[in-house]
Short mmCIF file of all heavy atoms in Angstrom, two decimals:
data_model
loop_
_atom_site.label_atom_id
_atom_site.label_comp_id
_atom_site.label_asym_id
_atom_site.label_seq_id
_atom_site.Cartn_x
_atom_site.Cartn_y
_atom_site.Cartn_z
N PRO A 1 -9.93 13.57 6.55
CA PRO A 1 -9.11 14.55 5.83
C PRO A 1 -9.93 15.67 5.20
O PRO A 1 -11.15 15.56 5.04
CB PRO A 1 -8.41 13.71 4.76
CG PRO A 1 -9.40 12.61 4.49
CD PRO A 1 -10.04 12.30 5.81
N THR A 2 -9.25 16.71 4.80
CA THR A 2 -9.87 17.82 4.10
C THR A 2 -10.16 17.44 2.64
O THR A 2 -9.67 16.43 2.13
CB THR A 2 -8.94 19.05 4.11
OG1 THR A 2 -7.70 18.69 3.48
CG2 THR A 2 -8.66 19.51 5.54
N LEU A 3 -10.98 18.23 1.99
CA LEU A 3 -11.23 18.22 0.55
C LEU A 3 -12.09 17.05 0.06
O LEU A 3 -12.36 16.95 -1.13
CB LEU A 3 -9.92 18.23 -0.25
CG LEU A 3 -8.95 19.38 0.03
CD1 LEU A 3 -7.70 19.24 -0.85
CD2 LEU A 3 -9.61 20.72 -0.20
N THR A 4 -12.52 16.16 0.93
CA THR A 4 -13.27 14.99 0.49
C THR A 4 -14.62 14.88 1.18
O THR A 4 -14.78 15.30 2.33
CB THR A 4 -12.47 13.70 0.73
OG1 THR A 4 -13.19 12.58 0.20
CG2 THR A 4 -12.23 13.46 2.22
N LYS A 5 -15.56 14.26 0.46
CA LYS A 5 -16.86 13.90 1.03
C LYS A 5 -17.14 12.42 0.83
O LYS A 5 -18.26 11.97 1.04
CB LYS A 5 -17.97 14.74 0.38
CG LYS A 5 -17.86 16.24 0.67
CD LYS A 5 -19.00 17.02 0.03
CE LYS A 5 -18.88 18.51 0.34
NZ LYS A 5 -19.97 19.30 -0.31
N ASN A 6 -16.11 11.69 0.44
CA ASN A 6 -16.26 10.25 0.18
C ASN A 6 -14.96 9.56 0.56
O ASN A 6 -14.13 9.24 -0.30
CB ASN A 6 -16.61 10.01 -1.29
CG ASN A 6 -17.08 8.59 -1.55
OD1 ASN A 6 -17.47 7.87 -0.64
ND2 ASN A 6 -17.04 8.18 -2.81
N TYR A 7 -14.79 9.29 1.86
CA TYR A 7 -13.53 8.79 2.41
C TYR A 7 -13.64 7.28 2.60
O TYR A 7 -14.51 6.80 3.34
CB TYR A 7 -13.27 9.49 3.74
CG TYR A 7 -11.88 9.30 4.30
CD1 TYR A 7 -10.76 9.33 3.49
CD2 TYR A 7 -11.68 9.13 5.67
CE1 TYR A 7 -9.49 9.18 4.00
CE2 TYR A 7 -10.41 8.98 6.20
CZ TYR A 7 -9.32 9.01 5.35
OH TYR A 7 -8.06 8.87 5.88
N HIS A 8 -12.76 6.51 1.93
CA HIS A 8 -12.88 5.06 1.89
C HIS A 8 -11.77 4.34 2.64
O HIS A 8 -10.63 4.80 2.71
CB HIS A 8 -12.84 4.59 0.43
CG HIS A 8 -14.14 4.71 -0.28
ND1 HIS A 8 -14.51 3.88 -1.32
CD2 HIS A 8 -15.18 5.56 -0.10
CE1 HIS A 8 -15.71 4.21 -1.76
NE2 HIS A 8 -16.14 5.24 -1.04
N TYR A 9 -12.12 3.16 3.16
CA TYR A 9 -11.19 2.24 3.81
C TYR A 9 -10.74 1.18 2.81
O TYR A 9 -11.47 0.82 1.89
CB TYR A 9 -11.86 1.54 5.00
CG TYR A 9 -13.18 0.90 4.63
CD1 TYR A 9 -13.23 -0.31 3.93
CD2 TYR A 9 -14.39 1.51 4.96
CE1 TYR A 9 -14.43 -0.89 3.56
CE2 TYR A 9 -15.60 0.93 4.60
CZ TYR A 9 -15.62 -0.26 3.90
OH TYR A 9 -16.81 -0.83 3.52
N GLU A 10 -9.52 0.67 3.00
CA GLU A 10 -9.00 -0.48 2.26
C GLU A 10 -8.03 -1.22 3.17
O GLU A 10 -6.94 -0.74 3.44
CB GLU A 10 -8.28 -0.05 0.97
CG GLU A 10 -9.15 0.69 -0.03
CD GLU A 10 -8.43 0.98 -1.35
OE1 GLU A 10 -7.31 0.45 -1.54
OE2 GLU A 10 -8.99 1.73 -2.16
N VAL A 11 -8.40 -2.40 3.66
CA VAL A 11 -7.53 -3.18 4.53
C VAL A 11 -6.50 -3.93 3.69
O VAL A 11 -6.82 -4.44 2.62
CB VAL A 11 -8.35 -4.16 5.40
CG1 VAL A 11 -9.12 -5.16 4.55
CG2 VAL A 11 -7.44 -4.88 6.39
N GLU A 12 -5.25 -4.00 4.18
CA GLU A 12 -4.19 -4.61 3.39
C GLU A 12 -3.12 -5.27 4.27
O GLU A 12 -2.84 -4.81 5.38
CB GLU A 12 -3.51 -3.57 2.49
CG GLU A 12 -4.50 -2.73 1.70
CD GLU A 12 -3.93 -2.09 0.46
OE1 GLU A 12 -2.77 -2.38 0.11
OE2 GLU A 12 -4.68 -1.31 -0.17
N LEU A 13 -2.52 -6.33 3.74
CA LEU A 13 -1.30 -6.89 4.30
C LEU A 13 -0.14 -6.03 3.83
O LEU A 13 -0.08 -5.63 2.66
CB LEU A 13 -1.11 -8.32 3.81
CG LEU A 13 0.21 -9.02 4.21
CD1 LEU A 13 0.23 -9.31 5.70
CD2 LEU A 13 0.39 -10.31 3.40
N VAL A 14 0.81 -5.74 4.74
CA VAL A 14 1.97 -4.93 4.40
C VAL A 14 3.24 -5.76 4.58
O VAL A 14 3.43 -6.38 5.64
CB VAL A 14 2.04 -3.66 5.28
CG1 VAL A 14 3.22 -2.79 4.85
CG2 VAL A 14 0.74 -2.88 5.21
N ALA A 15 4.09 -5.77 3.57
CA ALA A 15 5.38 -6.45 3.65
C ALA A 15 6.48 -5.41 3.84
O ALA A 15 6.49 -4.39 3.15
CB ALA A 15 5.65 -7.27 2.39
N ALA A 16 7.39 -5.66 4.78
CA ALA A 16 8.50 -4.74 5.08
C ALA A 16 9.81 -5.40 4.68
O ALA A 16 10.09 -6.54 5.07
CB ALA A 16 8.50 -4.40 6.57
N LEU A 17 10.63 -4.69 3.91
CA LEU A 17 11.86 -5.26 3.35
C LEU A 17 13.10 -4.83 4.13
O LEU A 17 13.19 -3.68 4.55
CB LEU A 17 12.03 -4.83 1.89
CG LEU A 17 10.85 -5.03 0.94
CD1 LEU A 17 11.27 -4.69 -0.49
CD2 LEU A 17 10.28 -6.44 1.02
N ASN A 18 14.04 -5.75 4.31
CA ASN A 18 15.33 -5.41 4.90
C ASN A 18 16.50 -5.72 3.97
O ASN A 18 17.66 -5.60 4.33
CB ASN A 18 15.54 -6.15 6.23
CG ASN A 18 15.66 -7.65 6.07
OD1 ASN A 18 15.30 -8.20 5.03
ND2 ASN A 18 16.13 -8.33 7.10
N LYS A 19 16.16 -6.12 2.74
CA LYS A 19 17.16 -6.31 1.69
C LYS A 19 16.63 -5.68 0.41
O LYS A 19 15.43 -5.69 0.17
CB LYS A 19 17.43 -7.80 1.45
CG LYS A 19 18.15 -8.51 2.59
CD LYS A 19 18.20 -10.02 2.35
CE LYS A 19 18.91 -10.39 1.06
NZ LYS A 19 18.95 -11.87 0.85
N GLY A 20 17.53 -5.13 -0.38
CA GLY A 20 17.12 -4.51 -1.63
C GLY A 20 17.65 -5.25 -2.83
O GLY A 20 18.23 -6.33 -2.73
N GLY A 21 17.45 -4.63 -3.99
CA GLY A 21 17.97 -5.23 -5.21
C GLY A 21 17.21 -4.78 -6.43
O GLY A 21 16.15 -4.16 -6.32
N LYS A 22 17.77 -5.11 -7.58
CA LYS A 22 17.18 -4.79 -8.87
C LYS A 22 16.97 -6.10 -9.62
O LYS A 22 17.79 -7.01 -9.55
CB LYS A 22 18.12 -3.87 -9.65
CG LYS A 22 17.61 -3.39 -10.98
CD LYS A 22 16.60 -2.26 -10.85
CE LYS A 22 16.26 -1.69 -12.23
NZ LYS A 22 15.13 -0.75 -12.17
N ASN A 23 15.82 -6.22 -10.29
CA ASN A 23 15.49 -7.44 -11.05
C ASN A 23 15.64 -8.68 -10.17
O ASN A 23 16.33 -9.65 -10.52
CB ASN A 23 16.38 -7.54 -12.29
CG ASN A 23 16.13 -6.42 -13.27
OD1 ASN A 23 14.98 -6.08 -13.55
ND2 ASN A 23 17.19 -5.83 -13.80
N ILE A 24 14.97 -8.66 -9.05
CA ILE A 24 15.03 -9.76 -8.09
C ILE A 24 14.29 -10.97 -8.65
O ILE A 24 13.14 -10.85 -9.08
CB ILE A 24 14.41 -9.33 -6.75
CG1 ILE A 24 15.21 -8.16 -6.15
CG2 ILE A 24 14.34 -10.50 -5.77
CD1 ILE A 24 14.52 -7.47 -4.99
N PRO A 25 14.92 -12.15 -8.67
CA PRO A 25 14.24 -13.34 -9.19
C PRO A 25 13.16 -13.83 -8.22
O PRO A 25 13.27 -13.64 -7.00
CB PRO A 25 15.36 -14.37 -9.33
CG PRO A 25 16.41 -13.93 -8.35
CD PRO A 25 16.32 -12.43 -8.30
N PHE A 26 12.13 -14.45 -8.75
CA PHE A 26 11.00 -14.90 -7.95
C PHE A 26 11.44 -15.80 -6.79
O PHE A 26 10.97 -15.64 -5.66
CB PHE A 26 9.99 -15.63 -8.84
CG PHE A 26 8.84 -16.23 -8.07
CD1 PHE A 26 7.77 -15.45 -7.69
CD2 PHE A 26 8.84 -17.57 -7.72
CE1 PHE A 26 6.71 -15.98 -6.97
CE2 PHE A 26 7.79 -18.12 -7.01
CZ PHE A 26 6.71 -17.32 -6.62
#
């Protein structure tokens, strides 16, 4: 990308949701 001289990687697990809600219990 532009504007940077220190470009970093971060590997991550991604969770995708198909249901929503507010104040979801654990």
